[in-house]
Amino acid sequence: MKIASIELFVIQMPLKSPFLTHLGAVNNREGIIVKVTNSEGLSGFGEGVAFSTPWYTEETVATSLHMLTDILIPLLQKHPIDHPEEASHLFSSIRRNNMAKAALETALWDLYAKVNTKSLSKILGGTRPVIASGVVVATDSAANALRQIEQYVTEGYQRIKVKINPNQDYSFLAEIRSHYPELPIMADANSAYSLKDIDRLKALDEFNLIMIEQPLAHDDIIEHALLQKEIRTPICLDESIVTFDDARKAIEFGSCKVINIKVGRIGGLYEAIRIHDYCFEKGIPVWCGGMIEFGISRAHNIALASLPGFSIPGDISASGRFWEEDIISPEVTVENGYIHVPLNSGIGYELNEKRLQKVLLTKRSFTFS
Ligand code: OSB
Ligand code: MG
């Protein structure tokens, strides 16, 4: 992989409607698009999924830019690599900053797939021609949630995830269930509860949720294991799983029965495959999480979700779920609840240069000798 240049594009786009959790609202999405070009003029793309502020993890767009500019790209300039897996090993000398690492690592995977004229799905070991699509409803009233659910069910989404917290759980879910007794529904708490809330969480068992995502602290594995013994609803961990070893320990302790894999949160596709393979062996279902992302990260998620262990519909919705116009061409679409896994080289979507220019805030370039 003879790299000739790397470009970073910081972009910003308004969401069609606010994304509300108990941690705050996302109205505008800032992100980083990474373009790695080799000596033959082929380009691979990655996306930095950190938010503008550190509400979900400790990283931000600014910390990612710093890590890429001052640490990760210089490291790659000093140590040329032949395979994206080497990038993952190279970056392991740097503590955390997983979203910054993944932004660059995923671009290298796309480039590697393109050099080998194979789809990224094939390169990663994907087996599914289509992936099942789920969608997230993140709003602050049952009335709004019902309106959105009705629309998404009509659009064919196979599974609905709703955001819950102690001010919006039992009666909120009861109202939704009364309208949709059979719909596959799950709830994501983004760490809104503590072990004091055990009875509150136990009461949610009656709604037959597919799972409850990250009820307790963002960095906890121990107390989730205690909670899982008390509730019937399977626990899924999101924020708590930052490395392969976190996944291994969570499964060994019984802290969860399902794992949400987000490429950015765990530092790249190599780690994602390791966690997938381990969970597959242990019979733990995984699904691909979402980060309110633009089309580049969405495309990487589609390739990843084509692996055999991704047996539950992920938070991989259409480009149009969040954006008036995405930065890729064609846009991601959902047909009868499924997204087709592209067969062409790399991520299988082109960057929409015109749209990129329209939403561009700043650009940085790096040349390799
Ligand atoms: O907790 O899964 C989460 C979005 C941003 C940050 C955290 C989470 C989410 C989502 C996924 O719920 C939204 C999506 O991209 O579809
Ligand atoms: Mg989550």
Side-chain angles (χ1 to χ4, degrees):
M1 293 180 91
K2 180 93 186 70
I3 297 170
S5 68
I6 295 183
E7 290 155 275
L8 306 179
F9 304 87
V10 182
I11 63 174
Q12 186 175 41
M13 227 190 266
L15 274 68
K16 278 183 175 174
S17 57
F19 188 91
L20 306 179
T21 74
H22 76 103
L23 298 168
V26 180
N27 293 289
N28 257 296
R29 183 66 162 113
E30 226 186 326
I32 305 169
I33 304 302
V34 180
K35 178 179 181 180
V36 180
T37 303
N38 74 1
S39 54
E40 290 159 24
L42 283 172
S43 295
F45 294 92
E47 182 176 320
V49 298
F51 291 98
S52 307
T53 61
W55 66 271
Y56 170 72
T57 66
E58 69 278 17
E59 292 182 85
T60 66
V61 171
T63 68
S64 295
L65 266 182
H66 157 60
M67 288 306 299
L68 285 161
T69 302
D70 301 318
I71 311 281
L72 299 171
I73 293 174
L75 202 56
L76 202 57
Q77 284 169 323
K78 217 177 293 162
H79 303 276
I81 60 163
D82 292 320
H83 191 280
E85 279 185 22
E86 292 170 47
S88 183
H89 297 303
L90 191 60
F91 298 163
S92 68
S93 63
I94 311 294
R95 297 269 197 261
R96 300 191 189 239
N97 291 284
N98 285 347
M99 293 178 184
K101 290 173 180 171
L104 184 50
E105 195 245 20
T106 52
L108 294 166
W109 277 103
D110 181 29
L111 176 59
Y112 179 80
K114 283 168 176 163
V115 166
N116 289 280
T117 59
K118 290 206 170 98
S119 70
L120 181 61
S121 164
K122 265 266 145 27
I123 290 280
L124 299 178
T127 53
R128 298 171 192 276
V130 295
I131 59 157
S133 181
V135 68
V136 182
V137 166
T139 188
D140 56 2
S141 76
N144 284 338
L146 285 170
R147 213 168 304 125
Q148 291 183 26
I149 292 170
E150 188 185 359
Q151 184 195 333
Y152 294 140
V153 167
T154 306
E155 289 174 22
Y157 286 104
Q158 301 201 16
R159 178 230 74 185
I160 303 286
K161 170 168 129 182
V162 295
K163 296 288 191 181
I164 59 162
N165 64 70
N167 296 313
Q168 175 176 296
D169 50 16
Y170 189 88
S171 55
F172 177 76
L173 289 167
E175 175 127 22
I176 293 171
R177 261 289 173 246
S178 75
H179 286 82
Y180 297 95
E182 307 289 342
L183 184 67
I185 297 175
M186 53 182 285
D188 186 357
N190 290 106
S191 304
Y193 298 89
S194 74
L195 273 188
K196 288 199 303 285
D197 300 310
I198 260 189
D199 291 335
R200 246 203 128 74
L201 292 165
K202 216 183 264 187
L204 306 183
D205 276 344
E206 78 175 66
F207 299 119
N208 273 319
L209 302 172
I210 321 170
M211 68 191 81
I212 180 169
E213 189 179 340
Q214 199 71 36
L216 307 180
H218 71 96
D219 54 357
D220 170 75
I221 283 179
I222 307 298
E223 292 189 345
H224 279 101
L226 299 176
L227 177 63
Q228 183 67 89
K229 286 193 184 70
E230 302 294 327
I231 64 174
R232 196 160 29 89
T233 307
I235 293 177
C236 170
L237 290 178
D238 173 358
E239 284 90 330
S240 295
I241 309 298
V242 178
T243 64
F244 171 84
D245 281 318
D246 290 338
R248 181 182 56 75
K249 288 173 198 168
I251 291 166
E252 277 178 13
F253 283 121
S255 317
C256 64
K257 294 180 177 165
V258 185
I259 285 182
N260 160 340
I261 297 183
K262 283 185 191 172
V263 177
R265 196 192 64 226
I266 59 178
L269 284 164
Y270 177 68
E271 198 78 349
I273 293 168
R274 287 183 70 211
I275 293 175
H276 163 273
D277 292 353
Y278 181 82
C279 290
F280 195 60
E281 196 189 297
K282 299 279 174 191
I284 298 287
V286 300
W287 55 277
C288 183
M291 283 293 286
I292 315 178
E293 49 247 302
F294 301 112
I296 298 296
S297 173
R298 209 164 283 275
H300 281 281
N301 286 347
I302 292 166
L304 179 65
S306 72
L307 270 66
F310 285 81
S311 54
I312 297 173
D315 289 346
I316 312 181
S317 48
S319 294
R321 156 69 179 87
F322 292 112
W323 317 120
E324 289 297 343
E325 186 184 2
D326 204 343
I327 55 159
I328 54 163
S329 172
E331 297 202 344
V332 174
T333 54
V334 173
E335 285 162 43
N336 301 317
Y338 290 97
I339 297 171
H340 282 270
V341 180
L343 300 171
N344 40 339
S345 277
I347 55 174
Y349 296 84
E350 301 292 325
L351 186 70
N352 178 342
E353 298 277 355
K354 221 173 115 195
R355 181 62 176 157
L356 183 81
Q357 288 308 320
K358 236 174 153 170
V359 295
L360 184 64
L361 295 178
T362 56
K363 184 187 161 182
R364 293 182 189 180
S365 303
F366 307 81
T367 51
F368 282 55
S369 50

